[in-house]
Amino acid sequence: MGFLKPVANLVSLLRGPKYDGAFLHDKIKSLTRDMRVADTVTNIVVPAFDVKYLQPVIFTTYEAKADPLKNAHLSDICISTSAAPTYFPAHFFTTEGGPGGASREYHLVDGGVAANNPTMIAMSMLTKEVLRRNPDFHPGKPTEYRNYLIISVGTGLAKLAEKHTAPQCAKWGLIQWLYVGGFTPIIDIFSHASADMVDIHAAVLFEALHCQKNYLRIQVKKKSTFFYSSTHTSSSHVCIHDET
């Protein structure tokens, strides 16, 4: 009955997320407890995406300290930013304490749908704090990226590289683009394309400003060699060999 497994997987995918997230949510809550974004020891930047308002939501330690409506529980932020569509359910929560007792609703999914590679978001938030003359940062022009040192750590190169071909995709309909062979092609394409475009933009930007050594992208490439080919720039890239 093995031939029925793909059908069962597709039906399960269409009926709801692959995982209910209960174990993950409990684990996150047990680790973060009642900590809020403003309580973090290190200044953090966490992206998510609001499905109700169709716009990205970025949580930062600095903004959380200034705006109670952005000072959410860290558990809610972690659950939201890991709620990858089709894998985990979207997460809903509210924050309170705004002017006049105002509250705010959040309807969030994984920030990867907007920023699968958050490098530029981190740079934008740093630039915003410099514009605000935050004393934690070196005074100067907000675009003086020579003062930035960026280490971008990827989660691994696409396992599906060279798996699909144009003749195969040309025959796909809506269902195949959403799910085929145990994978979700359209989601994989958007997520990897988004991450790579950010890498290209950041690398070219730092090279154009003659500070390419200030940007380093580290990526794991499975079942390959210690080589990462970068055709868009001479900025530094490191590929870690992994046979697992």
Side-chain angles (χ1 to χ4, degrees):
M1 302 294 288
F3 68 93
L4 292 177
K5 186 175 181 180
V7 177
N9 290 339
L10 177 58
V11 172
S12 177
L13 181 68
L14 295 176
R15 293 179 60 184
K18 187 174 183 179
Y19 308 105
D20 62 13
F23 177 80
L24 176 63
H25 297 178
D26 289 342
K27 179 60 68 174
I28 289 174
K29 291 176 181 178
S30 68
L31 292 172
T32 60
R33 304 193 180 190
D34 292 327
M35 180 177 288
R36 293 180 178 269
V37 180
D39 300 327
T40 57
V41 177
T42 300
N43 295 314
I44 63 172
V45 178
V46 183
F49 189 85
D50 196 306
V51 295
K52 182 176 182 179
Y53 300 104
L54 296 180
Q55 62 183 16
V57 178
I58 303 171
F59 296 93
T60 73
T61 304
Y62 285 115
E63 288 190 347
K65 291 178 179 179
D67 182 1
L69 296 181
K70 295 294 289 289
N71 190 23
H73 282 102
L74 200 58
S75 59
D76 286 321
I77 305 304
C78 293
I79 292 172
S80 298
T81 198
S82 61
T86 74
Y87 289 96
F88 293 102
H91 188 57
F92 168 80
F93 64 93
T94 61
T95 55
E96 300 177 347
S103 61
R104 177 174 176 177
E105 292 185 350
Y106 291 95
H107 306 256
L108 305 180
V109 296
D110 183 5
V113 301
N116 199 39
N117 180 342
T119 299
M120 297 307 297
I121 286 183
M123 292 175 61
S124 296
M125 292 300 102
L126 287 174
T127 301
K128 180 184 291 188
E129 293 305 317
V130 174
L131 282 170
R132 291 174 174 174
R133 300 187 182 279
N134 188 320
D136 289 347
F137 296 91
H138 188 277
K141 295 181 179 179
T143 55
E144 286 184 353
Y145 293 118
R146 293 179 180 83
N147 296 328
Y148 293 12
L149 180 62
I150 306 294
I151 300 178
S152 175
V153 182
T155 57
L157 294 178
K159 296 180 181 179
L160 298 181
E162 302 183 13
K163 181 177 179 60
H164 305 305
T165 64
Q168 290 175 329
C169 297
K171 301 175 183 177
W172 288 355
L174 176 62
I175 298 299
Q176 288 85 358
W177 278 106
L178 291 175
Y179 184 86
V180 64
F183 298 97
T184 51
I186 192 66
I187 295 177
D188 296 334
I189 289 171
F190 276 119
S191 62
H192 289 295
S194 171
D196 288 343
M197 286 303 298
V198 170
D199 179 33
I200 292 171
H201 181 82
V204 171
L205 175 62
F206 276 84
E207 185 175 15
L209 296 174
H210 307 290
C211 54
Q212 55 265 41
K213 291 184 179 181
N214 289 27
Y215 173 72
L216 175 66
R217 172 71 170 171
I218 301 175
Q219 188 65 285
V220 174
K221 189 174 184 180
K222 296 180 179 294
K223 295 183 180 180
S224 186
T225 61
F226 288 92
F227 179 73
Y228 184 98
S229 176
S230 176
T231 58
H232 53 270
T233 179
S234 61
S235 292
S236 299
H237 289 77
V238 174
C239 183
I240 302 173
H241 180 65
D242 184 359
E243 291 290 348
T244 59

